């Protein structure tokens, strides 16, 4: 599951340089030195614990190296044998697997998906128009991602995979299939199911038989495979001193494969058409088509997003500045990060894998090093300097641009944009890499940031929708620059509500709802923002968390934004169960905070997981605050404690604390199998 960006980590980590396996003749080369310098920078300043990278040129490794620690406790360095989760780079495997079935005549990319998954249904008749091609190029119109019970600690439960078709059956599409491309994880989960249905093998078996075995890849595995988990580079959380349990991304087609940098580079030979015994050259080439052009898309300035089949980019900047075609795919799980760049015309590929950090950092690393390779080989004359920017000069704004003031929305939120005297203010963008700031009008329909690196404009597309367009060049110290050109917000019309509906939703403003259906082994318990839904209601305009209110208990997605910001859309449904209000979002239930009882304040007690298997939440009030909690948990159960800021204080699945002091205003959650009993002790 590729996330747009990870937050910068300011902690300085211990750096342990590793022994390079670079050919002896190339020791001390500029390329090796540049790679080691950037890798070291990432360890010191970008939250990376370990990093591994490899470059393959015409089928041979010209660089394979690593920095950091495989295991902090033993101080064991990471090496080329260490394995990492590759996140959404896994999408290239399921795309290749589908294209292999195309080669064998078993799949036609432009036939309805229902041809191959006959029990695929949705509550939207347009679902019959979805094709395998649309799954690969992100244009299916599916809402985005069912994350529930997908990212688990040392648990390869397949329920997310097994329940996907059932969940989709009651859901609708956010747009007509093929209308535009916006990043969509569920599409690749459906491709995984397609591969299984057509081949008659499990997806893990198919990858092993038709990709790993022919390429002799012994470290390319899925969570369902048997292998030595000690080979996985250890993962860590900023507030937890010890290593975490093994991370399983159980949405395998979307982001569940483990590999090494060398083996990922070897797989890149397949993607470049160099292994016709596995994938035909014509199929590899068709994956490089500019698929994003088939629908609405941000105008084609240099970019890191321009979708092919599976690929995030088929004309990756900055390589496009030199007339070189580079393909890229990035990936992030919760704790692993990966980037793969290939340059087919020159038969060069580079893979960068890390524990900690971000796929964006890894891609910037790979881009910088590969430019050195291209210069060294005489493919490009010289590497251009990073762009520089000057303070913007404000000019008089045409009066007609004032019409763009108004209500805007993106997935999860709405925003009032007020253009005043040629100034606009926008919140933080691109995952926080662009801060909240003011932009001034500088001519040609553009508003510019104070440092000159970000330009904002308003674009009316052929679907008659108006979008806020962001053209950003972002500079990260020690890593260089990257560019992102996206549509971030869509102009919305006010949605007038009747009095009863308006009052009911207004009363919910600021309410919190807590996840009931997430397994206690979920990594999301470390990041409660994934478990706790905060409801922000704009009752005057008729919206809640960016969705349009339709009646007192339902709100629906309305935004249709190409590229990235329209991803992972959702509807909201609320109902009352046993006197408690429950929210349903993306097929999972969340209980209202005001229905959560305080945990008892006595010395001992018990709590039991109900027959439906849902989690049990308790508030920490003055009666239990500051007491020491110890819990006798069943083998299948666990619990987590949060403070009043929503930060995890203890998570039994990931930490070894024997007792926890309960913070006032916080919460406790217990999870496990139906009927599990927890014995609770407070002192």
């Amino acid at each position: 599951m590729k996330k747009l960006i990870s937050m910068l980590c300011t902690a300085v980590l211990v750096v342990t340089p590793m022994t390079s396996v670079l050919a002896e003749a190339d020791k001390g080369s500029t390329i090796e030195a540049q790679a080691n310098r950037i890798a070291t920078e990432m360890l010191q300043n970008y939250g990376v614990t370990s990093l591994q990278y490899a470059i393959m040129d015409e089928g041979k490794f010209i660089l394979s190296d690593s920095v950091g620690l495989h295991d902090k406790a033993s101080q064991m360095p990471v090496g080329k044998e260490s394995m990492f989760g590759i996140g959404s780079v896994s999408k290239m495997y399921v795309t290749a697997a589908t294209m292999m079935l195309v080669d064998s005549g078993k799949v036609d990319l432009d036939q309805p998906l229902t041809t191959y998954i006959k029990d695929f249904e949705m509550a939207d008749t347009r679902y019959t128009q979805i094709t395998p091609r649309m799954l690969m190029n992100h244009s299916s119109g599916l809402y985005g991602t069912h994350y529930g019970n997908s990212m688990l600690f040392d648990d390869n439960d397949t329920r997310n995979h097994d329940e996907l078709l059932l969940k989709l059956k009651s859901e609708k599409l956010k747009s007509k299939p093929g209308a535009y491309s916006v990043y969509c994880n569920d599409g690749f989960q459906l491709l995984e199911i397609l591969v299984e249905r057509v081949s008659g093998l499990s997806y893990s078996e198919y990858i092993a038989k038709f990709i790993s075995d022919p390429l002799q890849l012994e470290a390319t595995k899925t969570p369902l495979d048997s292998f030595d988990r000690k080979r996985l580079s250890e993962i860590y959380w900023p507030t937890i001193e010890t290593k975490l349990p093994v991370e399983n991304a159980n949405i395998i087609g979307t982001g569940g494969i483990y590999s090494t940098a060398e083996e990922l580079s070897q797989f890149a030979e397949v993607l470049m058409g160099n292994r016709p015994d596995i994938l035909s050259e014509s199929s590899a080439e068709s994956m490089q088509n500019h698929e994003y052009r088939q629908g609405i898309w941000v105008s084609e300035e240099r970019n890191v997003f321009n979708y092919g089949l599976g690929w995030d980019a088929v004309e990756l900047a900055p390589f496009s500045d030199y007339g070189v075609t580079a393909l890229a795919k990035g990936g992030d799980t919760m704790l692993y990060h990966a980037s793969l760049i290939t340059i087919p015309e020159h038969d060069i590929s580079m893979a960068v894998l890390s524990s900690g950090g971000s796929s964006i950092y890894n891609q910037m690393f790979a881009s910088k090093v590969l430019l050195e390779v291209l210069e060294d080989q005489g493919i490009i004359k010289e590497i251009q300097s990073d762009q520089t920017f000057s303070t913007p000069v404000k000019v008089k704004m045409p009066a007609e641009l004032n019409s763009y003031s108004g209500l805007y929305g993106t997935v999860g939120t709405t925003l009032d944009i007020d253009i005043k005297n040629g100034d606009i203010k926008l919140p933080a963008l691109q995952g926080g890499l662009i801060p909240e700031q003011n932009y001034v009008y500088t001519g040609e329909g553009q508003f510019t940031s104070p440092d000159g690196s970000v330009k904002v404009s308003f674009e009316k597309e052929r679907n008659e929708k108006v979008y806020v367009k962001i053209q950003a060049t972002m500079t990260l110290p020690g890593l260089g620059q990257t560019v992102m050109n996206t549509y971030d917000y869509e102009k919305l019309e006010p949605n007038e509500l009747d009095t009863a509906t308006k009052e009911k939703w207004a009363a919910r403003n600021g309410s919190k709802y807590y996840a009931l259906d997430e397994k206690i082994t979920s990594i999301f318990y470390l990041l409660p923002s994934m478990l706790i839904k905060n409801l922000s209601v704009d009752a005057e305009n008729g919206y809640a968390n960016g969705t349009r209110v339709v009646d007192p208990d339902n709100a629906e997605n309305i935004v249709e934004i190409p590229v990235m910001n329209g991803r992972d859309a959702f509807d909201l449904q609320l109902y009352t169960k046993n006197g408690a209000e429950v929210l349903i979002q993306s097929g999972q239930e969340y209980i209202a905070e005001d229905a959560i009882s305080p945990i008892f304040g006595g010395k001992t007690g018990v709590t039991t997981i109900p027959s439906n298997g849902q989690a049990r939440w308790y508030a920490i009030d003055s009666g239990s605050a500051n007491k020491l909690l110890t819990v006798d948990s069943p083998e299948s159960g666990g619990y987590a404690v949060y403070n009043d800021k929503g930060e995890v204080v203890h998570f039994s699945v990931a930490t070894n604390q024997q007792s926890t002091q309960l913070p006032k205003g916080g919460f406790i959650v217990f999870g496990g199998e139906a009927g599990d009993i927890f014995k609770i002790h407070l002192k």
Side-chain angles (χ1 to χ4, degrees):
M1 303 89 32
K2 178 175 171 58
K3 294 178 289 189
L4 180 59
I5 200 74
S6 297
M7 297 302 291
L8 290 172
C9 179
T10 57
V12 177
L13 303 182
V14 177
V15 179
T16 306
M18 302 301 128
T19 303
S20 172
V21 300
L22 188 66
E24 198 63 34
D26 290 328
K27 289 282 188 180
S29 70
T30 302
I31 296 167
E32 179 189 11
Q34 175 81 316
N36 185 264
R37 181 193 67 76
I38 301 172
T40 301
E41 176 76 23
M42 291 171 69
L43 259 69
Q44 291 178 329
N45 296 312
Y46 288 91
V48 172
T49 302
S50 60
L51 187 139
Q52 183 189 74
Y53 50 95
I55 303 175
M56 184 170 273
D57 183 4
E58 295 185 345
K60 297 180 180 179
F61 289 108
I62 62 170
L63 178 63
S64 180
D65 208 346
S66 52
V67 296
L69 297 173
H70 181 97
D71 181 0
K72 287 183 181 180
S74 67
Q75 291 289 293
M76 183 174 75
V78 68
K80 69 176 183 177
E81 303 299 324
S82 297
M83 295 167 60
F84 295 76
I86 65 170
S88 284
V89 182
S90 303
K91 290 179 172 67
M92 299 312 303
Y93 289 78
V94 76
T95 301
T98 306
M99 297 304 294
M100 291 157 63
L101 295 173
V102 171
D103 285 342
S104 64
K106 296 178 180 178
V107 170
D108 183 330
L109 291 188
D110 299 309
Q111 286 295 308
L113 182 61
T114 52
T115 306
Y116 311 104
I117 308 177
K118 298 189 184 301
D119 51 340
F120 169 56
E121 296 179 42
M122 297 186 72
D124 187 321
T125 57
R126 298 176 295 179
Y127 82 91
T128 58
Q129 301 171 31
I130 297 174
T131 65
R133 179 185 301 278
M134 293 173 187
L135 302 180
M136 294 181 190
N137 66 22
H138 302 280
S139 71
S140 64
L142 294 166
Y143 267 33
T145 311
H146 285 81
Y147 283 117
N149 297 303
S150 61
M151 308 297 297
L152 306 178
F153 277 132
D154 202 19
D155 182 351
N156 59 8
D157 190 334
T158 62
R159 72 170 65 180
N160 185 288
H161 167 281
D162 301 340
E163 294 175 353
L164 179 61
L165 291 177
L166 179 62
K167 288 183 176 179
L168 290 174
K169 194 169 186 177
S170 61
E171 296 180 5
K172 61 180 195 238
L173 297 171
K174 63 186 173 189
S175 61
K176 178 182 177 182
Y180 63 89
S181 293
V182 58
Y183 204 83
C184 177
N185 284 318
D186 280 349
F188 293 83
Q189 285 302 100
L190 287 172
L191 286 174
E192 178 185 335
I193 294 171
L194 178 151
V195 170
E196 292 179 328
R197 297 291 178 86
V198 173
S199 70
L201 300 172
S202 75
Y203 180 64
S204 296
E205 291 170 337
Y206 190 95
I207 293 300
K209 182 174 182 179
F210 294 105
I211 294 179
S212 293
D213 289 351
L215 288 171
Q216 298 182 318
L217 306 179
E218 54 85 26
T220 298
K221 303 293 184 181
T222 80
L224 296 178
D225 289 328
S226 296
F227 66 96
D228 182 4
R229 261 61 176 178
K230 292 180 180 179
R231 287 189 60 182
L232 291 169
S233 186
E234 303 293 0
I235 50 179
Y236 298 87
W237 194 255
T239 58
I240 297 176
E241 292 183 4
T242 58
K243 68 182 180 182
L244 298 175
V246 170
E247 179 194 58
N248 289 342
N250 295 308
I251 40 179
I252 303 174
T254 287
I257 288 178
Y258 307 106
S259 192
T260 66
E262 286 193 1
E263 291 201 0
L264 186 51
S265 297
Q266 289 174 268
F267 175 62
E269 292 291 294
V270 175
L271 302 177
M272 290 190 289
N274 297 333
R275 289 297 303 264
D277 56 317
I278 298 175
L279 179 69
S280 71
E281 186 176 352
S282 61
S283 285
E285 288 179 353
S286 67
M287 290 166 63
Q288 303 168 26
N289 289 342
H290 292 233
E291 294 283 328
Y292 63 97
R293 291 176 176 167
Q294 297 186 29
I296 296 167
W297 191 259
V298 65
S299 54
E300 292 189 51
E301 288 86 2
R302 57 199 299 268
N303 209 343
V304 294
F305 298 122
N306 28 63
Y307 300 138
L309 296 179
W311 293 107
D312 289 341
V314 291
E315 193 173 355
L316 179 68
F319 299 93
S320 54
D321 301 339
Y322 303 86
V324 174
T325 298
L327 317 172
K329 185 73 193 82
D332 301 89
T333 64
M334 294 290 289
L335 299 159
Y336 287 120
H337 312 276
S339 179
L340 174 65
I341 298 178
T342 68
I343 306 175
E345 61 186 311
H346 300 293
D347 197 5
I348 299 171
S349 64
M350 183 172 183
V352 182
L353 310 180
S354 67
S355 170
S358 164
S359 65
I360 297 296
Y361 308 154
N362 293 4
Q363 183 168 300
M364 292 174 72
F365 173 20
S367 295
K368 210 168 184 69
V369 174
L370 284 174
L371 286 177
E372 294 276 0
V373 173
L374 296 178
E375 183 183 46
D376 182 67
Q377 296 185 3
I379 295 170
I380 62 176
K381 289 184 178 180
E382 61 180 357
I383 298 173
Q384 301 169 9
S385 300
D386 284 346
Q387 283 187 273
T388 58
F389 304 93
S390 56
T391 303
V393 177
K394 186 176 179 180
V395 301
K396 185 177 180 180
M397 186 189 77
E400 57 265 26
L401 289 183
N402 285 311
S403 65
Y404 289 115
S405 290
L407 181 68
Y408 286 78
T410 191
V411 173
T413 189
T414 52
L415 170 72
D416 282 312
I417 295 180
D418 188 11
I419 303 174
K420 288 184 178 179
N421 302 316
D423 290 12
I424 59 174
K425 184 177 182 178
L426 293 178
L429 304 169
Q430 308 297 5
L433 283 182
I434 301 173
E436 178 180 335
Q437 58 191 343
N438 292 310
Y439 299 80
V440 299
Y441 187 71
T442 51
E444 299 182 343
Q446 294 182 328
F447 299 79
T448 304
S449 64
D451 67 358
S453 67
V454 183
K455 296 187 181 299
V456 177
S457 59
F458 298 88
E459 301 281 339
K460 187 173 185 179
E461 274 287 359
R462 62 179 183 266
N463 61 359
E464 299 300 313
K465 296 182 183 296
V466 172
Y467 296 105
V468 176
K469 178 182 175 182
I470 306 296
Q471 298 170 266
T473 300
M474 291 169 287
T475 303
L476 299 182
L479 299 186
Q481 290 183 336
T482 190
V483 294
M484 291 185 188
N485 294 298
T486 59
Y487 288 142
D488 280 29
Y489 289 90
E490 174 189 330
K491 201 169 193 299
L492 303 177
E493 293 298 324
N495 174 37
E496 188 173 349
L497 305 177
D498 62 66
T499 301
T501 300
K502 184 176 181 179
E503 289 178 352
K504 191 165 187 181
W505 280 96
R508 293 178 176 131
N509 186 36
S511 298
K512 295 181 179 180
Y513 298 80
Y514 293 71
L516 295 173
D517 298 322
E518 195 72 9
K519 291 192 71 175
I520 197 61
T521 52
S522 174
I523 297 172
F524 293 166
Y525 284 99
L526 286 179
L527 195 67
S529 61
M530 299 292 292
L531 297 174
I532 303 172
K533 304 300 180 184
N534 297 286
L535 206 57
S536 177
V537 179
D538 177 2
E540 291 303 316
N541 287 309
Y543 289 86
N545 286 18
T547 61
R548 182 175 61 187
V549 173
V550 294
D551 63 37
D553 294 315
N554 292 277
E556 62 184 7
N557 173 70
I558 187 65
V559 299
E560 297 184 28
I561 305 176
V563 193
M564 269 289 182
N565 279 51
R567 63 177 291 185
D568 298 342
F570 53 83
D571 297 333
L572 302 176
Q573 178 186 351
L574 295 114
Y575 76 101
T576 301
K577 179 172 67 175
N578 299 326
E581 185 166 74
V582 175
L583 166 69
I584 300 177
Q585 181 176 319
S586 301
Q588 289 196 291
E589 292 192 343
Y590 302 78
I591 189 170
E593 181 174 325
D594 61 13
I596 296 175
S597 301
I599 195 165
F600 63 90
K603 291 184 177 180
T604 61
V606 297
T607 189
T608 305
I609 301 301
S611 59
N612 60 11
Q614 291 187 326
R616 299 293 300 267
W617 288 85
Y618 294 94
I620 302 170
D621 64 2
S622 57
S624 57
N626 301 317
K627 293 184 177 181
L628 285 178
L629 168 77
T630 57
V631 179
D632 298 328
S633 299
E635 186 175 346
S636 57
Y639 68 99
V641 180
Y642 303 95
N643 62 23
D644 59 348
K645 297 178 182 178
E647 300 164 336
V648 64
V649 174
H650 174 59
F651 179 30
S652 64
V653 172
T655 58
N656 297 316
Q657 293 174 217
Q658 297 302 309
S659 62
T660 307
Q661 187 174 31
L662 297 182
K664 186 176 180 179
F667 288 87
I668 306 173
V669 58
F670 297 89
E673 301 294 331
D676 277 353
I677 298 173
F678 297 81
K679 296 179 181 179
I680 302 167
H681 308 276
L682 292 179
K683 186 165 88 172

